[in-house]
């Protein structure tokens, strides 16, 4: 009879017992927070390499932290983009407008006007400042927390709110979840709820741009948790192999919905270091420093336009509020984390920089904040004329059959007519718009 130990060669041996490691965040609710373990270099310490540098020469930039704004509110070092005061004020206003928009839409969700919303509090610089370094027709492949890009590109706020409310003014006809915008006119690709799908799409678009000899590049944004998805790694491979003119922006805000960044690999190395194994240029940037965000994106854009290769940028930042309106962060992280975050608040840092330059003051900041709040309030009231969640003011029922075929096939036309007749029989007085869509 065979010895049972033969099936398990390690049984009874002196080999050490294996143990599985499960990542665990440093702080849970009620814990004291201490960020002293983070290595935060002084602003201006990092040199600025040539945009055409070989990725293997950029090793230190994947582990360091590009910073421009110092504790003295001044810009330091070679990464200072030296933006004029008007551009800085525009950047500040865009960020303030995003924050006002988020606050209003969050309240709207709590009032039952929409089913869902996602704020980007604390991360405004990663979208607003970064996108301002791109050309207006460079193609954006966003994640679901980049509303700042649309606002920076001048997309009408009323249209954003219509989409969030899925009302009759929604240009996407209620077919997307709230906050999943799309605008061809603003070179803003449709947001997908499936994680990381935008990364290979961005790379493919960039490859097509290169094939056509176009001048436009692509840039995509993804959360650090989504870098664990297979699509992200496929994107990195194709970007490197075909030298695609693309920028892969990774927003490391420390948390996914309720799991911390360690589950995506943050305990072992930086997310910028992911670039090294693929032969990508990698930069790690202070994501709460608007000037650093702008400078890094500008560097990567120049590199892409010069056919010098793609770039992966990690923005080291912090999600100051919940993942979405469906999330309560007090259930899984310490309430002190937001206050103790060592890189501060991006809006405050840029405001203080402008004040230090003598180009701004607290009174003008207060006036601008009020103006932004009133602008969003006015846009909200205008959008609400088109309806809010659950009131019946939606696109005509017939439109659910449209936009797949250039001309609606006869069998779908018959189905649409039948569906409308049945709705009228069941709800004879509640759907006056059904005929309008035909």
């Amino acid at each position: 009879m065979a010895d049972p130990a033969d099936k398990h060669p390690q049984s009874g041996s002196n080999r050490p017992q294996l143990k599985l490691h499960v990542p665990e965040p440093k702080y849970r609710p009620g814990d004291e927070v201490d960020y002293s373990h983070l290595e935060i270099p002084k602003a201006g310490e990092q040199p600025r390499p040539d945009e055409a540098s070989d990725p293997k020469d950029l090793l230190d930039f994947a582990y360091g932290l590009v910073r421009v704004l110092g504790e003295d509110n001044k810009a330091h070092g070679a990464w200072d983009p030296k933006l004029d005061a008007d551009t800085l004020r525009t950047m500040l206003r865009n960020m303030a407008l995003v924050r006002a928009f988020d606050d209003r839409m969050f309240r709207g969700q709590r009032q039952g006007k929409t089913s869902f919303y996602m704020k980007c509090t604390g991360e405004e610089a990663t979208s607003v400042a970064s996108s301002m370094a791109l050309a207006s027709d460079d193609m954006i492949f966003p994640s679901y927390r980049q509303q700042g890009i649309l606002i920076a590109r001048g997309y009408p706020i009323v249209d954003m709110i219509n989409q969030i409310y899925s009302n009759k003014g929604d240009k996407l006809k209620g077919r997307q979840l709230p906050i999943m915008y799309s605008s061809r006119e603003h070179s803003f690709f449709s947001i997908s709820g499936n994680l990381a799908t935008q990364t290979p799409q961005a790379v493919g678009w960039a490859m097509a741009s290169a094939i056509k000899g176009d001048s436009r590049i692509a840039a995509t944004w993804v959360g650090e948790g989504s870098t664990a998805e297979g699509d992200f790694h496929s994107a990195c491979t194709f970007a490197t192999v075909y030298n695609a003119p693309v920028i892969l922006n990774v927003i490391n805000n420390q948390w996914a919905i309720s799991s911390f960044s360690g589950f995506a690999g943050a305990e072992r190395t930086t997310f910028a270091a992911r670039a090294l194994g693929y032969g990508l240029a990698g930069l790690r940037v202070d994501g709460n420093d608007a000037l650093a965000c702008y400078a890094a994106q500008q560097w990567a854009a120049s590199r892409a336009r010069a056919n010098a290769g793609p770039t992966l940028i990690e923005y080291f930042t912090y999600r100051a509020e919940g993942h979405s309106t469906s999330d309560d962060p007090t259930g899984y992280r310490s309430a002190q984390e937001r206050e103790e975050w060592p890189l501060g608040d991006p809006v405050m840092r840029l405001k203080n920089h402008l004040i230090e330059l003598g180009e701004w003051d607290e009174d003008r900041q207060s006036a601008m904040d009020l103006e932004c709040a009133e602008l969003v309030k006015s846009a909200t009231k205008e959008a609400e004329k088109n309806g809010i969640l659950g009131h019946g003011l939606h696109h005509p029922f017939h439109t659910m059959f449209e936009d797949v075929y250039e001309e609606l096939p006869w069998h779908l036309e018959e189905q649409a007519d039948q569906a409308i007749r049945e709705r009228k029989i069941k709800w004879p007085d509640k759907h006056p718009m059904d005929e309008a869509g035909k």
Side-chain angles (χ1 to χ4, degrees):
M1 186 173 181
D3 187 343
D6 292 341
K7 296 181 181 179
H8 305 283
Q10 297 184 29
S11 300
S13 72
N14 292 324
R15 296 180 184 179
Q17 184 178 3
L18 299 177
K19 296 181 180 179
L20 180 68
H21 172 69
V22 178
E24 180 66 24
K26 291 181 178 295
Y27 316 111
R28 285 298 192 184
D31 290 345
E32 295 288 328
V33 175
D34 179 8
Y35 283 117
S36 60
H37 64 284
L38 295 180
E39 296 182 11
I40 308 294
K42 291 183 179 179
E45 283 189 349
Q46 301 75 21
R48 187 181 186 280
D50 187 271
E51 290 94 340
S53 297
D54 192 299
K56 68 176 182 293
D57 297 326
L58 301 172
L59 180 68
D60 291 343
F61 294 93
Y63 294 100
L65 198 65
V66 174
R67 304 187 71 216
V68 174
L69 290 175
E71 299 299 325
D72 57 1
N73 299 318
K74 296 179 180 179
H76 299 270
W79 283 95
D80 177 9
K82 301 187 185 304
L83 300 175
D84 60 79
D86 285 340
T87 300
L88 293 175
R89 280 189 286 265
T90 298
M91 186 181 293
L92 180 64
R93 185 183 184 280
N94 286 336
M95 292 166 65
L97 186 54
V98 171
R99 191 158 289 188
F101 182 78
D102 277 358
D103 289 344
R104 190 85 187 184
M105 293 300 98
F106 183 90
R107 293 199 304 274
Q109 191 278 335
R110 291 298 191 248
Q111 293 165 354
K113 296 177 179 179
T114 184
S115 60
F116 184 74
Y117 191 72
M118 302 183 78
K119 300 176 77 171
C120 65
T121 309
E123 303 175 40
E124 292 89 352
T126 65
S127 56
V128 171
S130 296
S131 64
M132 287 180 66
L134 299 171
S136 61
D137 59 351
D138 286 336
M139 194 66 188
I140 301 295
F141 290 81
S143 183
Y144 40 63
R145 217 182 297 274
Q146 276 74 57
Q147 54 266 49
I149 297 177
L150 274 182
I151 287 177
R153 289 194 167 188
Y155 188 73
I157 290 179
V158 171
D159 288 341
M160 294 178 74
I161 301 172
N162 284 334
Q163 195 282 322
I164 292 168
Y165 288 169
S166 297
N167 60 26
K168 69 176 184 180
D170 177 10
K171 292 186 175 181
L172 303 184
K173 301 181 180 179
R175 295 168 180 167
Q176 281 275 57
L177 288 170
I179 62 87
M180 293 188 179
Y181 319 102
S182 176
S183 177
R184 179 189 295 270
E185 297 77 16
H186 294 80
S187 299
F188 191 92
F189 197 78
S190 302
I191 297 175
S192 170
N194 298 318
L195 298 181
T197 56
Q198 68 271 25
T199 52
Q201 292 166 349
V203 173
W205 191 96
M207 290 168 59
S209 185
I211 290 170
K212 294 186 295 184
D214 203 342
S215 61
R216 295 176 296 167
I217 65 173
T220 183
W221 276 253
V222 67
E224 91 285 341
S226 296
T227 64
E229 296 285 337
D231 278 351
F232 176 79
H233 298 279
S234 295
C236 289
T237 299
F238 273 81
T240 304
V241 170
Y242 294 100
N243 207 45
V246 65
I247 306 170
L248 303 165
N249 296 293
V250 176
I251 310 301
N252 177 10
N253 63 14
Q254 314 307 309
W255 288 92
I257 296 177
S258 58
S259 60
F260 87 116
S261 57
F263 281 99
E267 286 184 335
R268 306 300 185 183
T269 188
T270 68
F271 290 97
R274 298 266 174 101
L276 303 176
Y278 292 102
L280 286 161
L283 300 176
R284 189 165 176 262
V285 179
D286 179 349
N288 289 27
D289 180 343
L291 297 189
C293 292
Y294 182 99
Q297 194 78 187
Q298 184 183 53
W299 185 93
S302 296
R303 179 180 178 85
R305 294 188 207 286
N307 293 310
T311 303
L312 189 158
I313 304 176
E314 174 191 349
Y315 295 95
F316 194 65
T317 182
Y318 185 78
R319 170 165 61 75
E321 299 202 15
H323 182 266
S324 72
T325 49
S326 302
D327 177 43
D328 179 9
T330 63
Y332 55 82
R333 70 186 189 188
S334 172
Q336 292 185 338
E337 286 192 16
R338 176 176 180 174
E339 299 301 323
E340 296 295 328
W341 181 245
L343 297 178
D345 176 86
V347 178
M348 295 294 292
R349 288 177 67 182
L350 183 56
K351 178 199 76 171
N352 291 336
H353 175 56
L354 273 163
I355 291 175
E356 176 65 27
L357 293 175
E359 296 288 349
W360 201 241
D361 55 57
E362 293 289 356
D363 288 341
R364 279 190 280 181
Q365 180 70 33
S366 297
M368 183 183 69
D369 287 339
L370 179 60
E371 176 211 350
C372 290
E374 290 298 319
L375 190 155
V376 175
K377 179 180 178 180
S378 175
T380 302
K381 289 184 175 181
E382 186 65 27
E384 287 178 357
K385 294 177 182 177
N386 294 319
I388 58 175
L389 178 69
H391 53 48
L393 290 180
H394 304 298
H395 277 272
F397 187 68
H398 190 278
T399 61
M400 72 179 292
F401 296 89
E402 298 172 353
D403 300 325
V404 175
Y405 301 94
E406 183 176 0
E407 294 184 7
L408 199 65
W410 66 268
H411 64 287
L412 289 184
E413 190 67 65
E414 285 188 354
Q415 291 177 32
D417 290 341
Q418 179 183 352
I420 290 173
R421 287 195 303 272
E422 290 177 357
R423 279 170 67 86
K424 286 182 177 180
I425 293 171
K426 192 170 184 179
W427 296 291
D429 301 320
K430 293 186 178 181
H431 299 278
M433 293 181 62
D434 284 342
E435 290 294 337
K438 294 188 66 177

